[in-house]
Amino acid sequence: MKRRFCLMIMAVAAFMFVLPAGAFDLGDVRVNARFLTDRMAFELKLNERQYNDLYEINFDFFSNVDPYLVALSRADARAMDAYYRYLDERNDDLRWILSNTAYVKFMSIDYFFRPIYAMNNVCYVRVYKVYPDRRFYYYGLPPHYYTYRGAHARAHCGGVSYYKKNFRKYYNHKVYAGHYQCRPEHRPHDFGRPEPPVRPPRQVCPPSRPLPPSVSRPPKHDNDKHDRYERRNERKEKRSNVRKPNDRNSSRSANESTRRIIREI
């Protein structure tokens, strides 16, 4: 019974371990900051001072973008604006702790320079895609792993980089002075294109019956009246012409009859 219970616990633990980062959120900010810092320190060959400052910068970055993860997974424009603003601040802070050579190399590695991306409405950390074994670390815990709460973030330093102000105290390397901000073409590669706003479907009116063509009478002109009067006069003349010969014949017959009567007398 105990053995079966232990196997169940191990299965649940294994399932939670292989669950991709960002299935629900990005997980613990400290864990993500430490893992990313560990791989950056290994590939960029950083010293202990750089390692400790790098952990603080990565911790502040993950803390700042954590409230925007859900909106980032949907490629929300406002969330992306906030994300790239914090990312540019983080990359600016890194200029003061990394040498010029190390910073140029850092910019050429996408899973360091742009650490978060989204796929299928879920946010992920890119470095886990390259280094899937999350239990292995090249370095130990940072000395302030459990105590640091963002004291050196820009929100607590008046919007100014803490590492820029203290650069001369701890570093003496050449600072990268080129363009370090993320460009607009990075957005579609990191979070896809923003979805268009959903609009209600347009109602289609049923086709109406066509109206029958209106029967229009030809317009009346004044010429019609004139023609009508002419036709009436023609009919009268015809009637009068028909009657005139009859009248002449009757008058002739009346004259002859009178002449005969006179002769007889």
Side-chain angles (χ1 to χ4, degrees), residues 30 34 38 48 51-52 55 137 139-146:
R30 289 193 190 89
R34 182 197 173 188
D38 185 87
E48 184 177 359
Y51 176 77
N52 295 335
Y55 171 76
Y137 291 90
Y139 304 93
L141 286 174
H144 51 325
Y145 179 77
Y146 293 106

Side-chain angles (χ1 to χ4, degrees), residues 43-259:
E43 291 196 28
L44 302 178
K45 297 179 175 55
L46 306 182
N47 57 36
E48 184 177 359
R49 178 72 198 187
Q50 291 173 315
Y51 176 77
N52 295 335
D53 288 343
L54 179 60
Y55 171 76
E56 293 179 356
I57 294 173
N58 285 331
F59 179 90
D60 293 336
F61 168 71
F62 282 111
S63 298
N64 289 331
V65 302
D66 186 70
Y68 300 95
L69 293 177
V70 176
L72 279 174
S73 64
R74 300 194 303 264
D76 182 78
R78 293 183 180 179
M80 287 193 292
D81 291 341
Y83 169 80
Y84 285 108
R85 183 178 72 252
Y86 289 125
L87 184 60
D88 289 341
E89 291 179 358
R90 173 231 184 201
N91 295 342
D92 182 28
D93 290 341
L94 290 177
R95 293 190 306 134
W96 305 100
I97 70 170
L98 300 179
S99 65
N100 184 77
T101 304
Y103 197 87
V104 171
K105 185 178 180 181
F106 155 75
M107 293 181 64
S108 64
I109 304 174
D110 285 342
Y111 52 89
F112 291 161
F113 187 64
R114 300 182 351 253
I116 298 177
Y117 72 102
M119 182 180 294
N120 298 326
N121 295 332
V122 179
C123 288
Y124 299 91
V125 181
R126 273 196 174 95
V127 70
Y128 292 136
K129 195 174 181 179
V130 182
Y131 296 96
D133 188 0
R134 305 185 190 185
R135 294 173 298 180
F136 177 76
Y137 291 90
Y138 292 99
Y139 304 93
L141 286 174
H144 51 325
Y145 179 77
Y146 293 106
T147 58
Y148 182 73
R149 294 289 188 276
H152 295 163
R154 296 198 179 196
H156 300 282
C157 299
V160 183
S161 174
Y162 168 86
Y163 309 95
K164 179 181 179 180
K165 292 192 300 182
N166 296 274
F167 169 71
R168 295 300 178 186
K169 293 181 181 180
Y170 308 108
Y171 300 103
N172 192 24
H173 58 257
K174 183 180 179 181
V175 179
Y176 176 81
H179 184 81
Y180 61 87
Q181 291 87 355
C182 289
R183 296 184 295 273
E185 57 265 26
H186 290 149
R187 297 193 176 201
H189 296 286
D190 293 340
F191 302 103
R193 300 189 180 277
E195 298 179 357
V198 179
R199 294 181 179 180
R202 189 175 182 181
Q203 296 181 356
V204 180
C205 299
S208 58
R209 295 181 179 178
L211 295 175
S214 58
V215 179
S216 60
R217 295 181 179 179
K220 295 182 179 181
H221 301 285
D222 295 337
N223 296 331
D224 294 341
K225 294 181 180 180
H226 183 69
D227 296 338
R228 191 164 56 250
Y229 290 132
E230 286 185 352
R231 289 195 295 271
R232 185 181 299 173
N233 294 331
E234 290 178 357
R235 286 196 297 270
K236 288 181 178 180
E237 290 178 357
K238 288 181 180 179
R239 290 176 183 173
S240 61
N241 293 334
V242 172
R243 291 177 180 177
K244 284 179 181 179
N246 295 333
D247 295 339
R248 290 177 181 176
N249 296 329
S250 59
S251 59
R252 286 178 183 177
S253 58
N255 292 332
E256 290 179 356
S257 59
T258 53
R259 287 176 183 175

Side-chain angles (χ1 to χ4, degrees), residues 11-24:
V12 172
F15 175 77
M16 294 298 294
F17 176 75
V18 300
L19 192 66
F24 302 101

